[in-house]
Amino acid sequence: MKSLKSSLFHSYLFIILVMVIPTVYAVAVSRIHSRQYDTIITNVSLANKINAYTKNSITAELWNIVSGRKTFSRGTQYVILNNIQNGIEQLQESTNTAEGKTRLSVAERTCLTLRKHIAELGIQIENGSTVQKNEESLDDIRSIAALLSEILQEYIIIEIDEAAVTNAAIKTSEIRLSLIQIAIVVVVVSFSVNRFLRMFSAIKKPIASMENLSTKIALGDLSARVSPPEIAELSTLGKNLNTMVERIKTLIEENIQEQQNLQKAELKLLQSQITPHFLYNTFDTIIWLAESSQTDDVVKVTRAFSEFLRISLSRGHDWITVESEISHISHYLTIQKIRYESILNYEIRAEKAILDFKMLKLSLQPLVENAIYHGIKNKRGRGHIVVSADFADEKKERMTFCVQDDGAGFSAEKMAAVKAELQSDNAEKISASYGLYNVNKRLVLYYGAEAALHIESEAGKGARVSFSVPCIKMEEA
């Protein structure tokens, strides 16, 4: 069975990987080329510096010695020569091309030859040779230095050519990365559209199927069933719907057989109709959210609706804990809050000490529904609903439940009509307060007249509907 959450996760993971991997590749290639280019520029700069020493500094220093301006021992010719040799060794370590390394090897040997001739010139000067002979030796040194300069120039040309190759590689990489980025955009867009259409279809089909089921239920066809959706988040909802229909069918069959208490059978039938009453709106909301790609809200509404149905069914039991009834209202208001977000705020207050007591299920939902549809929706601006549950007396023997809104409220005429209908024994004639009538009848039937609804309202100022019931433990229920 597919999970909507899992499908979204894998889709996002795929898109992230498709976007990240080329980016990592681009950064790596860029760093490699940048490092190569920096190395070449550094080598060319160093080679030029060495070449300047070779062409000018070494011969100029030896001329000062030959001409008598300096003694051989006080000259810096060996310092200059050592700088040249160190520079060549540094170039050999950083050069990557075989041809460049070959030129540097030749330059190194030439440098050794140059050192040898400089040493011989020093011996000549120490032995008191003639100026002419010293000048002849200096000419030989100049020739060797010129040769070394030519070798370094050739090396520089080789490095410049390598820089051109690297530059061409960078341009090629840029073109390749641009094509890859275009391909990624095409792939991501195609994948996103495909996944959207598939997920939309996967959500819409089961929702439409369940909406069709609710329509059949509303028309009285209790033999209808929905195939379990392939999406995990909707599977529970589908199963609960089928269970609900089966329970409704079972309840109706049982009520037909139990004609001894016609009023109770009629009320159980009304009770079984409470949940399907707002199925249409809930499914419309889920479809609207799915079409708007609000998948998180789809999951939220679906889960709330599933829990709402589970508590509504309660395995056929009439009695549930106060905590379950409050939870039932919370799920109902979660669904309605998403549907009427711009006009609805709500608050639920419940005393913790009463949560474990038992009460007649589905006693609060119709009151909240009435507050929304007849109060909040009929006023301008945002409305506020407060659901509260607390002890009714100091002895903590009774509980009071209250649903209060700041909606349109009841006019004096409407209030009189509602109170009159609550006293009626004919459910078919109820028009203004069907939900209130149903809850009131059930409360009076199970708890007695003391549990009847108490309604306070003023036109334009909202309404307050409350009832009080005994604190009952499970075994007593």
Side-chain angles (χ1 to χ4, degrees):
M1 183 176 293
K2 298 179 182 178
S3 169
L4 185 60
K5 181 179 179 181
S6 176
S7 297
L8 288 173
F9 171 77
H10 288 100
S11 298
Y12 290 142
L13 181 63
F14 172 78
I15 292 174
I16 291 172
L17 289 177
V18 169
M19 298 298 291
V20 168
I21 291 176
T23 302
V24 172
Y25 169 76
V27 172
V29 170
S30 177
R31 288 179 62 86
I32 291 171
H33 287 157
S34 177
R35 194 178 296 114
Q36 290 176 346
Y37 205 78
D38 289 344
T39 301
I40 292 170
I41 297 301
T42 301
N43 289 346
V44 170
S45 176
L46 181 58
N48 279 324
K49 186 176 180 180
I50 296 170
N51 193 23
Y53 274 124
T54 303
K55 291 173 65 176
N56 303 317
S57 301
I58 190 72
T59 55
E61 186 68 14
L62 291 174
W63 168 250
N64 289 333
I65 294 172
V66 170
S67 62
R69 296 173 185 171
K70 285 185 180 181
T71 62
F72 191 85
S73 60
R74 298 176 72 86
T76 60
Q77 64 278 3
Y78 284 116
V79 174
I80 297 171
L81 191 60
N82 287 337
N83 289 336
I84 294 173
Q85 285 184 313
N86 291 335
I88 292 174
E89 290 175 0
Q90 186 176 342
L91 289 174
Q92 283 181 323
E93 292 178 359
S94 60
T95 300
N96 295 321
T97 61
E99 190 176 0
K101 287 183 178 293
T102 301
R103 286 290 183 275
L104 291 173
S105 296
V106 175
E108 191 173 25
R109 291 195 296 271
T110 304
C111 195
L112 292 174
T113 303
L114 182 61
R115 181 182 288 276
K116 178 180 177 183
H117 280 74
I118 292 173
E120 290 175 353
L121 176 61
I123 294 172
Q124 286 180 194
I125 294 173
E126 185 180 350
N127 293 331
S129 61
T130 63
V131 173
Q132 182 178 359
K133 187 174 182 180
N134 290 340
E135 288 180 349
E136 290 175 355
S137 296
L138 181 58
D139 288 338
D140 291 339
I141 291 172
R142 286 195 180 102
S143 298
I144 296 171
L147 176 61
L148 179 58
S149 177
E150 289 178 3
I151 295 171
L152 290 173
Q153 279 297 128
E154 291 175 357
Y155 170 78
I156 290 171
I157 293 172
I158 291 171
E159 287 297 290
I160 291 174
D161 290 340
E162 183 65 19
V165 172
T166 302
N167 187 51
I170 292 174
K171 291 181 179 180
T172 302
S173 296
E174 289 178 353
I175 296 172
R176 185 182 297 115
L177 288 172
S178 297
L179 294 175
I180 291 174
Q181 291 294 336
I182 293 172
I184 288 173
V185 171
V186 173
V187 170
V188 169
V189 170
S190 300
F191 176 79
S192 300
V193 171
N194 177 263
R195 294 297 293 177
F196 170 77
L197 293 176
R198 290 178 61 184
M199 292 181 65
F200 176 76
S201 177
I203 294 173
K204 185 177 181 179
K205 286 183 178 179
I207 294 298
S209 178
M210 285 184 276
E211 183 179 20
N212 183 52
L213 172 64
S214 68
T215 302
K216 291 181 179 179
I217 294 172
L219 295 175
D221 183 5
L222 298 180
S223 63
R225 297 293 184 274
V226 64
S227 300
E230 297 181 0
I231 298 177
E233 287 80 0
L234 296 176
S235 177
T236 303
L237 176 60
K239 292 178 180 178
N240 283 349
L241 278 174
N242 287 336
T243 302
M244 182 196 70
V245 177
E246 188 65 34
R247 286 297 306 155
I248 292 174
K249 183 178 180 180
T250 301
L251 287 173
I252 292 175
E253 291 174 351
E254 289 176 354
N255 288 335
I256 292 175
Q257 296 174 2
E258 297 175 359
Q259 293 296 321
Q260 297 91 340
N261 191 340
L262 296 179
Q263 185 181 30
K264 189 173 181 179
E266 178 186 3
L267 293 174
K268 278 187 171 289
L269 180 60
L270 291 174
Q271 174 186 335
S272 69
Q273 295 300 317
I274 290 177
T275 298
H277 182 69
F278 78 109
L279 285 175
Y280 300 108
N281 292 339
T282 303
F283 287 132
D284 284 342
T285 300
I286 295 175
I287 291 175
W288 170 74
L289 291 171
E291 290 176 342
S292 301
S293 300
Q294 299 182 42
T295 51
D296 290 341
D297 285 339
V298 170
V299 174
K300 182 178 180 181
V301 173
T302 301
R303 286 177 176 169
F305 190 39
S306 177
E307 288 299 311
F308 177 85
L309 292 177
R310 183 183 65 81
I311 297 173
S312 296
L313 296 171
S314 302
R315 298 181 180 179
H317 299 307
D318 289 330
W319 300 88
I320 61 175
T321 63
V322 174
E323 182 178 12
S324 295
E325 182 71 4
I326 295 298
S327 177
H328 184 250
I329 292 304
S330 176
H331 293 308
Y332 176 78
L333 284 170
T334 295
I335 297 169
Q336 297 293 45
K337 172 65 175 174
I338 292 178
R339 180 173 175 83
Y340 300 113
E341 182 178 5
S342 62
I343 66 169
L344 176 62
N345 280 334
Y346 69 90
E347 182 180 1
I348 299 177
R349 305 170 187 162
E351 176 68 33
K352 291 184 178 179
I354 71 172
L355 295 179
D356 291 332
F357 288 113
K358 301 300 176 179
M359 66 179 296
L360 188 63
K361 73 175 180 180
L362 301 180
S363 297
L364 291 176
Q365 185 268 341
L367 306 185
V368 175
E369 183 181 32
N370 186 79
I372 293 174
Y373 288 97
H374 298 288
I376 302 301
K377 288 185 65 176
N378 290 328
K379 70 167 287 186
R380 292 186 177 181
R382 184 179 294 273
H384 189 239
I385 294 176
V386 178
V387 180
S388 61
D390 203 348
F391 287 106
D393 56 342
E394 293 181 357
K395 295 182 179 180
K396 298 183 178 180
E397 294 177 347
R398 295 184 68 83
M399 302 176 290
T400 294
F401 298 89
C402 176
V403 177
Q404 185 170 352
D405 67 84
D406 59 358
F410 296 116
S411 64
E413 295 77 11
K414 180 67 177 293
M415 189 69 180
V418 169
K419 290 184 176 180
E421 288 183 350
L422 293 183
Q423 302 300 320
S424 174
D425 292 327
N426 191 348
E428 295 180 358
K429 294 182 178 181
I430 302 301
S431 60
S433 55
Y434 189 87
L436 298 179
Y437 173 85
N438 182 35
V439 172
N440 187 68
K441 278 294 183 181
R442 294 176 62 238
L443 290 173
V444 172
L445 173 66
Y446 284 92
Y447 292 106
E450 293 181 352
L453 292 180
H454 180 67
I455 303 175
E456 301 172 67
S457 180
E458 186 176 350
K461 294 186 178 181
R464 184 179 187 274
V465 182
S466 62
F467 61 90
S468 175
V469 296
C471 295
I472 301 175
K473 297 179 180 180
M474 187 59 198
E475 57 269 25
E476 295 172 347

